Amino acid sequence: MNRILAGIIFFLFISTGYISFLVHERQQELQKLTHYAAAWSAAQMVSEYYRFESVLGLYTIDETMKLDDVRMRLDIMLSQSDLMKEGDLKHYIESNKSHHALALKLEEKLEYLDIHLEKMNRSEIQAYLKTMQTLDAPLSHLSSGALDKDINSINDANLKIKTLYYIYSATSVLLIIMSAILGVLIFYQNRNILKAHLQVKSLAEALQESKEKLQVQNAKLEYDVYHDSLTEMNNRHFFWGNLNETIENAVKSNNTVNVMLFDLDRFKVVNDTYGHDVGDMLLRQISQRLISMGLTSDTLYRLGGDEFAFLSSGLTENNAVSLAQKICDAINQPYTINNTIINITTSVGIVISDTERRSDYLYKFADLALYEAKNEGAGKIKVFRQWMLDKLQESRTLEHDMALALVNKEFVVYYQPIVDSFSRETYSYEALIRWIHPLKGILSPDTFIPVAEKTGMIIEMGKSMLEMACREAASWVVPAKISVNVSPVQLSSKAFAGIVVSILNETGLPAERLELEVTESSLFTESNTPMNTLNRLRALGVKISIDDFGTGYSSLSRLSRLAFDKIKIDKSFVNSISTQEDALNIIRLITGMAKSLNMKTVAEGVETQEQLESLQVLGCDFIQGYLFGKPQPYIDGKIRNG
């Protein structure tokens, strides 16, 4: 069916094209009948020439006739003579030499008059008229010749039109027949077209439905881009956009920009104790409380984790602090989740600025204030001050200097003796790192170790210190043990055990003379790496001590799993041993527990004879403190005082 339709349509196409061709031919022939023909043009020109001669003749005998009338008729004649230069008349004239010569004479006569007419008098014009009359007979002959030519052309055109009419009629009849056949075929084909139409309609409806779903999905995606999925609050992306907008508006209105950052205190404990599901429910309840406070919805944000933010402008410091306290009071109210009451507090950092207009700096200032608030304790509110930025810059300067110090080997090791509490003989030395700063002099670990741990430089620093201590201890005449502190960052590295073994091999120090001191916090983690590392080193003969015992989260299960060699009693208990009964009881408990686990005890920070005697009574094995010696450098083969 489709092939038949295609064939018919092709035939109709060809036929239509052919009919168009015939119509075009017929129009061409008809155009010859109505065209601006040579006979008509010649007749017009000759007629005007005769009229012009009459006007000239009348002018010569009629004194009342004006020259302007003659000029007008001359201009008409000039325009008529232009017909000889175009169209069929041009071709007719150029095809005959006598006619062409006649045209040149006529043009010459008219041009002469065109130039001299106003200068000629009536008698001169009458004389010139006689020369013009010599052209009358040739012009008449030209007109009759053109008429004969056009009559012949018209007869030929009529004959061609008649022939074209017969062909056109036959083709039209054939076209009508084929069109009828096509109509019948189309009638049967319409059913298929109707089916296709219904399918297209169904597809269009499906596409419309898909479009509506896509629009809904796009709206949801756009919402998700700017909103937190857990709490449905504005998110960090929305926060940065609105912060820039708030700054622009504040500049126009000459207002301050206020940024508040809220961080939940001990939120990690909630997650670790009750699980992340409870933590998520807590965050949702907090967001509901914030939204219910009636604050503008686009000023509250959850930036991620347990951090929230509030944006505004035009607030004074007192108003900002009051508003922050109001928000904290709402957050700090107890929560009931799964029949469990949960209490949470909030630390706040605030920046109020009418000069700083950089969004990243405003956020950094608020974050610095929040950092200071959390350092001061839970539930604190801090407003940004310049000293906070100075402190940060000082910390960065310290980081830079520390990196150079590692390259320039400015870190050295001092040694403090650990003695037997009864015989007072030196049992070992604790290696303590010192920084010989080129400008600030000797710096204690408290000033740079936290920064080293934060930046990760503690890895290289600890390795360098361990190598120096082992190398120097290997050269001692009296083979005392050497104790080296290990950072939690070092201990969390799986490569640490290999580093220790490599240093022992390079320096030649026996593993039995090395004692590593670790803190409770470095072991109280979800990772098994610290415990596995210490077990591996202890199996090689390295001694392990737990430092600052009693200040962290120690448990008997952890002590028994590793079986430490020593427990170091924190100096805070030793300092209070003479004045606080609780400190005395704690030390008694620690020494008793150590003995039951076959561990030795070391008391730190012993400075008086009274403290020593009390520790001896409690059964403490070793003593360390200023009573027996301060940390000193190793110079010329021995540890010296002063």
Side-chain angles (χ1 to χ4, degrees):
M1 178 69 73
N2 289 333
R3 291 183 178 179
I4 297 174
L5 286 173
I8 293 176
I9 292 172
F10 178 75
F11 177 78
L12 290 176
F13 175 77
I14 297 299
S15 300
T16 303
Y18 185 63
I19 289 176
S20 298
F21 170 75
L22 293 177
V23 170
H24 174 72
E25 287 294 313
R26 182 177 181 183
Q27 287 175 341
Q28 291 288 349
E29 296 302 327
L30 288 173
Q31 190 175 10
K32 293 179 180 179
L33 299 179
T34 59
H35 192 263
Y36 193 76
W40 185 85
S41 299
Q44 283 289 103
M45 183 192 65
V46 173
S47 176
E48 287 298 330
Y49 184 76
Y50 291 161
R51 287 193 187 94
F52 180 55
E53 285 181 328
S54 299
V55 170
L56 284 177
L58 183 62
Y59 177 73
T60 58
I61 60 175
D62 187 355
E63 296 292 338
T64 62
M65 188 175 182
K66 296 179 180 180
L67 185 61
D68 289 341
D69 295 334
V70 178
R71 165 55 68 179
M72 181 183 69
R73 182 55 59 182
L74 175 60
D75 290 339
I76 294 173
M77 186 61 215
L78 287 171
S79 65
Q80 286 293 331
S81 68
D82 289 340
L83 294 177
M84 294 187 297
K85 302 176 183 179
E86 60 185 23
D88 291 340
L89 183 57
K90 174 185 176 182
H91 296 300
Y92 174 69
I93 292 174
E94 290 179 351
S95 64
N96 189 295
K97 291 183 179 180
S98 60
H99 293 164
H100 183 65
L102 177 63
L104 293 176
K105 289 180 181 180
L106 176 63
E107 185 176 2
E108 180 183 350
K109 297 291 185 185
L110 294 176
E111 285 180 355
Y112 179 84
L113 282 177
D114 184 35
I115 296 171
H116 299 93
L117 179 64
E118 282 75 8
K119 301 176 184 179
M120 299 171 66
N121 55 37
R122 297 179 186 269
S123 59
E124 289 174 339
I125 292 174
Q126 186 175 16
Y128 191 77
L129 179 61
K130 293 179 180 180
T131 63
M132 289 179 60
Q133 290 174 349
T134 60
L135 300 180
D136 289 352
L139 286 175
S140 177
H141 180 68
L142 172 67
S143 177
S144 62
L147 179 61
D148 292 340
K149 176 182 174 297
D150 285 349
I151 290 173
N152 293 332
S153 298
I154 291 172
N155 292 333
D156 292 340
N158 282 328
L159 182 61
K160 289 182 179 179
I161 290 172
K162 186 179 296 183
T163 303
L164 288 174
Y165 174 75
Y166 293 143
I167 297 173
Y168 176 80
S169 299
T171 305
S172 299
V173 171
L174 184 59
L175 186 60
I176 292 171
I177 296 172
M178 297 304 296
S179 298
I181 297 173
L182 180 61
V184 174
L185 294 176
I186 289 175
F187 174 79
Y188 289 103
Q189 191 71 1
N190 277 342
R191 289 179 297 178
N192 295 331
I193 295 175
L194 180 60
K195 290 180 181 179
H197 173 72
L198 294 175
Q199 291 176 352
V200 171
K201 183 179 179 181
S202 175
L203 180 60
E205 292 174 353
L207 287 174
Q208 180 63 27
E209 184 178 352
S210 299
K211 177 184 175 183
E212 293 174 356
K213 289 181 179 179
L214 186 60
Q215 289 174 340
V216 172
Q217 291 175 353
N218 288 340
K220 185 178 183 303
L221 286 174
E222 185 176 357
Y223 179 86
D224 291 342
V225 167
Y226 294 102
H227 294 83
D228 176 53
S229 59
L230 177 65
T231 63
E232 296 187 356
M233 294 181 68
N234 303 321
N235 62 12
R236 178 180 292 272
H237 187 66
F238 203 175
F239 167 80
W240 284 108
N242 277 11
L243 176 56
N244 291 323
E245 185 177 346
T246 302
I247 292 172
E248 291 177 3
N249 294 334
V251 170
K252 295 176 182 177
S253 58
N254 198 25
N255 274 335
T256 60
V257 178
N258 314 116
V259 181
M260 302 183 192
L261 298 181
F262 299 81
D263 191 87
L264 304 180
D265 301 314
R266 294 173 60 82
F267 180 73
K268 184 177 185 301
V269 176
V270 174
N271 276 335
D272 294 341
T273 305
Y274 303 105
H276 289 276
D277 290 342
V278 172
D280 290 345
M281 286 189 279
L282 176 61
L283 290 173
R284 280 194 288 268
Q285 289 193 21
I286 290 173
S287 67
Q288 290 170 3
R289 287 188 185 181
L290 292 175
I291 295 173
S292 66
M293 291 181 66
L295 301 172
T296 306
S297 60
D298 59 357
T299 59
L300 287 168
Y301 310 85
R302 183 194 175 206
L303 303 183
D306 58 342
E307 188 176 8
F308 296 83
F310 177 81
L311 277 181
S312 62
S313 61
L315 293 179
T316 64
E317 182 172 319
N318 289 335
N319 290 339
V321 172
S322 298
L323 180 58
Q325 188 61 58
K326 180 181 177 182
I327 295 174
C328 288
D329 292 341
I331 295 175
N332 295 349
Q333 296 299 316
Y335 298 85
T336 302
I337 300 175
N338 295 339
N339 298 322
T340 300
I341 297 177
I342 298 177
N343 290 289
I344 199 86
T345 57
T346 311
S347 297
V348 187
I350 304 174
V351 61
I352 302 167
S353 177
D354 55 359
T355 57
E356 181 57 62
R357 299 306 187 187
R358 290 170 292 184
S359 57
D360 54 340
Y361 274 64
L362 289 173
Y363 179 83
K364 181 175 72 174
F365 295 162
D367 195 48
L368 286 173
L370 177 62
Y371 179 80
E372 293 298 331
K374 293 188 77 68
N375 275 350
E376 190 170 306
K380 301 297 181 181
I381 300 175
K382 285 289 182 182
V383 179
F384 172 76
R385 298 289 185 259
Q386 181 61 36
W387 63 263
M388 299 178 183
L389 182 60
D390 296 339
K391 180 179 177 182
L392 175 64
Q393 292 172 342
E394 182 180 350
S395 175
R396 290 179 177 174
T397 301
L398 185 64
E399 292 176 17
H400 176 265
D401 291 349
M402 195 181 305
L404 292 177
L406 285 171
V407 176
N408 299 330
K409 300 186 182 302
E410 296 173 4
F411 294 101
V412 298
V413 179
Y414 278 38
Y415 300 92
Q416 186 176 27
I418 299 174
V419 302
D420 188 286
S421 60
F422 297 99
S423 67
R424 300 193 180 187
E425 293 180 356
T426 300
Y427 168 77
S428 65
Y429 290 91
E430 180 179 1
L432 301 168
I433 191 169
R434 295 291 185 270
W435 182 0
I436 311 300
H437 195 282
L439 299 177
K440 300 178 181 179
I442 300 176
L443 301 180
S444 65
D446 294 339
T447 61
F448 60 85
I449 289 296
V451 178
E453 289 183 327
K454 178 183 176 182
T455 60
M457 284 188 278
I458 191 66
I459 300 292
E460 183 64 26
M461 188 183 299
K463 178 183 176 182
S464 176
M465 176 188 174
L466 179 62
E467 184 177 358
M468 284 190 290
C470 290
R471 193 175 302 279
E472 292 176 352
S475 66
W476 293 346
V477 177
V478 179
K481 295 182 183 297
I482 181 72
S483 297
V484 181
N485 290 282
V486 179
S487 165
V489 179
Q490 292 175 273
L491 201 57
S492 63
S493 172
K494 294 181 179 180
F496 179 69
I499 292 173
V500 174
V501 173
S502 176
I503 290 175
L504 290 175
N505 292 334
E506 290 177 6
T507 60
L509 183 73
E512 294 76 12
R513 288 183 58 193
L514 177 62
E515 187 173 280
L516 300 179
E517 295 186 10
V518 299
T519 60
E520 300 174 67
S521 60
S522 64
L523 304 176
F524 206 75
T525 64
E526 297 178 358
S527 173
N528 294 324
T529 299
M531 297 295 285
N532 294 337
T533 299
L534 293 179
N535 281 323
R536 177 185 171 188
L537 292 173
R538 198 167 188 275
L540 296 174
V542 177
K543 305 301 181 183
I544 308 297
S545 297
I546 183 167
D547 197 10
D548 300 333
F549 187 80
T551 61
Y553 303 97
S554 297
S555 65
L556 290 176
S557 63
R558 289 182 176 270
L559 291 175
S560 61
R561 280 170 55 193
L562 185 59
F564 293 94
D565 296 285
K566 291 185 182 65
I567 297 177
K568 297 192 75 172
I569 302 171
D570 188 69
K571 61 184 178 182
S572 62
F573 301 118
V574 175
N575 292 338
S576 306
I577 195 171
S578 303
T579 58
Q580 296 183 12
E581 186 69 23
D582 289 344
L584 187 67
N585 291 333
I586 289 173
I587 295 176
R588 181 182 293 111
L589 177 63
I590 293 174
T591 55
M593 179 182 64
K595 283 182 172 58
S596 66
L597 295 173
N598 296 320
M599 299 179 188
K600 301 294 184 178
T601 54
V602 181
E604 295 179 309
V606 179
E607 298 179 356
T608 66
Q609 185 67 30
E610 183 181 4
Q611 292 172 344
L612 173 62
E613 292 173 356
S614 297
L615 291 167
Q616 288 174 335
V617 171
L618 294 173
C620 186
D621 299 294
F622 300 101
I623 304 297
Q624 181 183 12
Y626 285 2
L627 183 63
F628 299 99
K630 296 181 179 181
Q632 299 296 336
Y634 180 75
I635 302 175
D636 297 334
K638 59 182 177 180
I639 301 171
R640 296 188 175 187
N641 293 325

